[in-house]
Amino acid sequence: RVPMGPLSLLLALSLLSPWGSAGGSCPPRCVCASNLLSCSQANLSAVPAPLPRFTAMLDLSHNNVTRLRADWAPARLPHLHALLLSHNGLAFVSTEAFAHVPRLRHLDLSSNRLRTLEENLFSDLGELEVLLLYNNEITTVDRTAFENLGRLRKLYLGQNRIARFPLELLREGTRLPQLALLDLSANRLRAVPAGELQALPAWLRDRLYLHNNPLACDCLLFQLLDRGRRRHLSAVEDFQDELRCFLPGATALVKILDLAGRLPLNCSKAREAVLEAHLGDSVTLGCDSRWQGVRSRHWVTPGGERVLGDGGNGSVVLLANGSLQLRALRPEDAGTYSCWVAGPLLNETIYVELLVHNFTLHGPHDTLNTAYTTLVGCILSVVLVLIYLYLTPCRCCCCRGSEKPPAPRDDSINSSVLSTTPNHAGGTREPCGSHTASSAGTGQNGRFKGGGTPQLPARQGPKLQRKVSDPDSVSSVFSDTPIVV
């Protein structure tokens, strides 16, 4: 056995190390350890070359690499999975800069001077999972900048100058299907599509950061964040003081979560989830959990029954995605349903309130509701009353407002109020024009009084026509003339 000296030991280690003569040499001003290459704070103005092709992690942060050209890695680096280029004053990145690093999973371009994200800038990084672009000067994001990033999970765009919300990054089934975190904090966003954001899964809303933006106050935005606070979403709960907005006509920022009941918006708090349906309808209750990779879940009905599968003649069905479907709704189906979720870290309970209206709803020609029916009934009643008052035919249409001619004095006793015979003329009457006064005069108290007695109509049939009573008869209760016998 030959004793091994120090020089022989170093030579053996160099042959075993990837940085030995068999694997290449460590670049100047860099520190190499196994397949890790650190060139941080080395005052470099360009990427050192050559780079060993087995490099797995390359740290070039805190240097002066202002441009990343397509030839920064002339040879393919199939094992490189992490590239750190933060704090370099980087202002230009070629669209072909990542063609030779297709296995990259972590890319850090933060704290640089990037202003635009060009078309298909990251399209070669099909396995990228984390992309850091915060603390740059980005104002424009091309719609195709993140094409082909099917595995991207975390995207940091905070502390930039973005004024338009890139909603296309979040729509399900589009460019980033696995995105679980989007940081848009400290930008120049003035409006966000709160309605569409509310429709996103809770696990994605839990990692949507919007604080420190000059947002315009809006009740939909308040309700979106208020739901997040009650669900203990970290993006809302951890940054309540930084979530601020501008009220109309105001210059100072106010807390968005303080808008409840505050003028001029007077926003109302939204409940967790409320669904409305009608008798006989089918409705699906979603279990909107903030956890991905849920191990198990089950539903509990308002009556306390646990739903694990089909129930009640197929009227209650637990779907594969965790939603609960109710068919042929009945009044007793109304109430608060709870979904119990066993997440990877903690458990969660989601409550859904179902309101069942006690009438059916079929198509566009719906049955009138109670309030509308009552209103129509009132209007019809008023119209009928007006018709009765103003359109009913009168017996003497042309004499409306004129005083009846007096009856003969000798028959005044028959028109007394004590008489059981009504003082209405019966039978057939002559036309109104046939009654003419022989003379006119002014009666007692200045009332108009006809001077003559109207002619009695001709006898018709076995009975005589009743005589017209004299309004100034001595026996009239309305007469103000003393009774003289």
Side-chain angles (χ1 to χ4, degrees):
R1 181 179 297 179
V2 180
M4 182 178 293
L7 185 59
S8 302
L9 181 60
L10 289 175
L11 180 60
L13 291 175
S14 64
L15 292 175
L16 295 175
S17 172
W19 303 105
S21 58
S25 59
C26 185
R29 292 183 288 182
C30 296
V31 177
C32 304
S34 182
N35 56 356
L36 307 180
L37 178 59
S38 176
C39 303
S40 179
Q41 299 181 353
N43 198 24
L44 298 175
S45 59
V47 179
L51 292 173
R53 57 187 312 272
F54 49 79
T55 304
M57 195 277 289
L58 176 59
D59 184 3
L60 294 170
S61 61
H62 296 276
N63 282 288
N64 297 316
V65 183
T66 59
R67 300 177 68 84
L68 192 65
R69 302 180 182 275
D71 58 353
W72 71 272
R76 187 178 179 87
L77 300 175
H79 303 286
L80 187 65
H81 63 79
L83 176 60
L84 311 180
L85 283 164
S86 62
H87 298 278
N88 268 281
L90 191 64
F92 171 78
V93 177
S94 172
T95 56
E96 299 177 357
F98 307 107
H100 290 166
V101 287
R103 298 293 181 87
L104 204 62
R105 299 197 302 270
H106 184 101
L107 177 59
D108 186 358
L109 298 173
S110 63
S111 300
N112 283 294
R113 295 180 181 177
L114 297 175
R115 294 187 177 182
T116 60
L117 299 181
E118 300 291 343
E119 179 181 1
N120 296 317
L121 180 59
F122 306 106
S123 59
D124 292 324
L125 302 176
E127 297 185 11
L128 191 65
E129 298 178 2
V130 180
L131 177 57
L132 290 81
L133 291 164
Y134 64 86
N135 195 24
N136 275 278
E137 301 174 4
I138 300 173
T139 58
T140 305
V141 179
D142 190 90
R143 292 180 178 271
T144 63
F146 303 102
E147 287 284 355
N148 301 328
L149 299 185
R151 297 187 181 181
L152 189 66
R153 296 185 299 106
K154 299 179 180 180
L155 176 58
Y156 296 86
L157 287 168
Q159 300 184 45
N160 279 286
R161 302 175 184 177
I162 301 173
R164 185 190 67 84
F165 187 90
L167 184 62
E168 62 273 6
L169 301 181
L170 298 176
R171 289 196 175 102
E172 186 176 359
T174 56
R175 293 174 177 80
L176 306 176
Q178 296 188 20
L179 188 65
L181 185 150
L182 177 59
D183 180 14
L184 290 169
S185 62
N187 274 280
R188 298 181 180 179
L189 299 177
R190 294 189 174 273
V192 295
E196 297 190 51
L197 295 181
Q198 182 58 42
L200 295 174
W203 55 264
L204 181 52
R205 296 199 310 271
D206 190 23
R207 297 293 186 269
L208 176 60
Y209 296 91
L210 296 171
H211 56 277
N212 289 332
N213 274 285
L215 297 170
C217 294
D218 180 74
C219 286
L220 288 178
L221 176 62
F222 163 75
Q223 293 176 353
L224 172 69
L225 299 179
D226 184 55
R227 287 190 182 98
R229 175 174 58 180
R230 285 183 293 149
R231 294 284 300 276
H232 304 290
L233 302 186
S234 58
V236 177
E237 196 171 45
D238 297 341
F239 298 94
Q240 296 186 40
D241 295 335
E242 290 80 10
L243 286 166
R244 295 176 175 267
C245 64
F246 284 103
L247 283 170
T251 57
L253 289 166
V254 298
K255 293 183 180 180
I256 298 177
L257 294 174
D258 291 345
L259 292 178
R262 180 170 180 172
L263 296 177
L265 297 180
N266 196 22
C267 299
S268 60
K269 293 186 176 182
R271 287 172 287 183
E272 175 68 28
V274 179
L275 294 178
E276 297 187 31
H278 303 84
L279 292 179
D281 289 351
S282 296
V283 66
T284 301
L285 311 181
C287 188
D288 189 16
S289 174
R290 59 181 173 143
W291 302 115
Q292 282 185 293
V294 174
R295 297 193 301 270
S296 63
R297 71 182 84 197
H298 67 272
W299 285 85
V300 177
T301 65
E305 299 179 1
R306 184 171 176 175
V307 180
L308 297 176
D310 294 351
N313 297 324
S315 61
V316 181
V317 179
L318 184 63
L319 303 180
N321 60 358
S323 301
L324 185 68
Q325 187 179 68
L326 305 176
R327 302 171 181 172
L329 288 178
R330 302 165 298 173
E332 55 267 25
D333 291 331
T336 301
Y337 293 78
S338 55
C339 178
W340 298 71
V341 179
L345 300 177
L346 298 173
N347 297 332
E348 184 181 15
T349 304
I350 296 99
Y351 298 96
V352 180
E353 182 179 354
L354 176 63
L355 304 178
V356 180
H357 298 290
N358 58 354
F359 59 91
T360 58
L361 189 66
H362 301 289
H365 303 288
D366 304 332
T367 304
L368 297 177
N369 57 36
T370 304
Y372 184 71
T373 306
T374 304
L375 178 61
V376 172
C378 293
I379 294 174
L380 291 177
S381 300
V382 172
V383 172
L384 291 176
V385 170
L386 294 177
I387 292 175
Y388 176 78
L389 292 177
Y390 292 99
L391 298 181
T392 302
C394 64
R395 295 185 178 90
C396 187
C397 59
C398 57
C399 300
R400 186 183 300 273
S402 62
E403 199 167 344
K404 294 181 180 180
R409 292 288 182 177
D410 57 355
D411 198 43
S412 62
I413 192 65
N414 297 325
S415 61
S416 173
V417 72
L418 300 176
S419 175
T420 59
T421 305
N423 292 329
H424 298 289
T428 306
R429 300 186 120 190
E430 294 183 359
C432 295
S434 64
H435 297 280
T436 57
S438 60
S439 62
T442 303
Q444 189 174 0
N445 297 329
R447 293 180 300 168
F448 176 81
K449 181 177 180 181
T453 302
Q455 296 180 353
L456 296 177
R459 183 189 300 265
Q460 296 180 2
K463 294 184 180 180
L464 296 176
Q465 183 177 1
R466 293 187 183 95
K467 298 178 181 180
V468 180
S469 63
D470 184 5
D472 288 330
S473 172
V474 295
S475 62
S476 175
V477 295
F478 296 102
S479 174
D480 49 10
T481 305
I483 300 176
V484 179
V485 179

